[in-house]
Amino acid sequence: MKTPYKNIYAVLRINRFIVLAVVICSLLSSFFAVWMVFDINKKALNNAFAINTDGSIIPLKLVTQKENFKVEALAHLELFHNYFYNIDASNYEKNLEKALWLGNSSVDNLYRQKKADGVYNRLLQYSLIQKVLSIDSQIQEKNGTYSFRTVTIFEINRGSIIDTYELVSTGNLIAVDRNFPNNPHGLLVTNYFEKSLKKLNNENP
């Protein structure tokens, strides 16, 4: 007795089902592998590792770039304004040289303008002491560009008279390579502008 052949259409349906099942499983495996690679890469970007003295690996969670940038930016602005405005006859050359490392040509141009106006000559001639009392900076980010507004309170000691001033300055910040100790925060002040200067009081000690 001959073995009856299976219906050709039934065989084709089974084969098609097997092929579709294999293709679907392959696609799902591929998607899962891609997702795993993406997830591992994301975790790697947000974590760093240190090696302990015994050879074990210690995971270190990194802060986000924006949070880190704000801390660095505030410290950079405080350092810059201290160097640029906290000056007297004995330290102004050294402090201004340090300040110029923290800004671009806009800072250098302001320095040259002040020098041409005789600001530093008067500092030497009358032994003036310009002391920074406080620095308050506000930072804003828009479309990847960081701008700042800083209020610096400083006093000028003329011996018998001490005048206190409020200076409002503005500008932008850009990231550059760190250069320790000249530029430890890796930032540069650009478009620097002294917006306003106002005398607060006039004390006669």
Side-chain angles (χ1 to χ4, degrees):
M1 182 178 180
K2 293 183 178 181
T3 303
Y5 291 101
K6 293 184 178 180
N7 188 303
I8 186 65
Y9 294 107
V11 173
L12 290 175
R13 280 197 299 269
I14 294 172
N15 289 342
R16 185 171 59 181
F17 174 77
I18 293 173
V19 171
L20 286 175
V22 171
V23 171
I24 291 172
C25 289
S26 299
L27 288 174
L28 290 175
S29 299
S30 299
F31 286 136
F32 180 73
V34 170
W35 178 81
M36 285 293 293
V37 170
F38 176 78
D39 187 60
I40 292 172
N41 182 64
K42 184 179 179 181
K43 289 180 179 178
L45 290 176
N46 290 324
N47 290 273
F49 300 93
I51 299 178
N52 203 353
T53 54
D54 60 359
S56 60
I57 297 176
I58 307 171
L60 304 173
K61 191 69 176 179
L62 299 180
V63 296
T64 63
Q65 184 177 4
K66 285 188 176 181
E67 290 175 344
N68 188 55
F69 183 89
K70 186 175 181 180
V71 173
E72 297 272 7
L74 290 174
H76 184 84
L77 290 172
E78 183 170 355
L79 191 64
F80 167 73
H81 285 83
N82 261 314
Y83 282 147
F84 203 72
Y85 298 104
N86 200 71
I87 54 177
D88 57 40
S90 65
N91 70 8
Y92 82 97
E93 289 183 330
K94 179 179 64 178
N95 279 10
L96 290 173
E97 182 182 355
K98 292 178 179 179
L100 292 176
W101 275 96
L102 307 179
N104 73 343
S105 59
S106 62
V107 176
D108 184 62
N109 290 338
L110 179 60
Y111 160 70
R112 292 177 184 275
Q113 179 186 334
K114 287 177 177 288
K115 188 175 182 180
D117 291 341
V119 172
Y120 305 119
N121 283 337
R122 287 192 294 273
L123 195 74
L124 293 171
Q125 184 178 356
Y126 300 107
S127 298
L128 303 180
I129 299 175
Q130 185 169 293
K131 181 181 179 182
V132 172
L133 302 178
S134 67
I135 300 169
D136 181 25
S137 298
Q138 303 295 326
I139 301 170
Q140 289 186 336
E141 186 267 337
K142 185 177 180 181
N143 299 326
T145 300
Y146 291 88
S147 60
F148 68 86
R149 179 182 183 273
T150 301
V151 178
T152 304
I153 307 295
F154 64 92
E155 65 181 20
I156 298 180
N157 189 327
R158 294 181 170 88
S160 60
I161 298 175
I162 298 178
D163 293 325
T164 304
Y165 296 88
E166 178 189 84
L167 171 70
V168 178
S169 57
T170 60
N172 299 100
L173 286 171
I174 60 173
V176 296
D177 291 337
R178 294 178 190 268
N179 185 337
F180 187 84
N182 297 318
N183 192 333
H185 301 289
L187 296 171
L188 204 65
V189 174
T190 64
N191 301 319
Y192 188 66
F193 179 66
E194 291 183 342
K195 189 175 182 180
S196 65
L197 179 65
K198 178 175 66 176
K199 182 185 286 189
L200 298 181
N201 65 3
N202 187 355
E203 298 180 3
N204 293 303

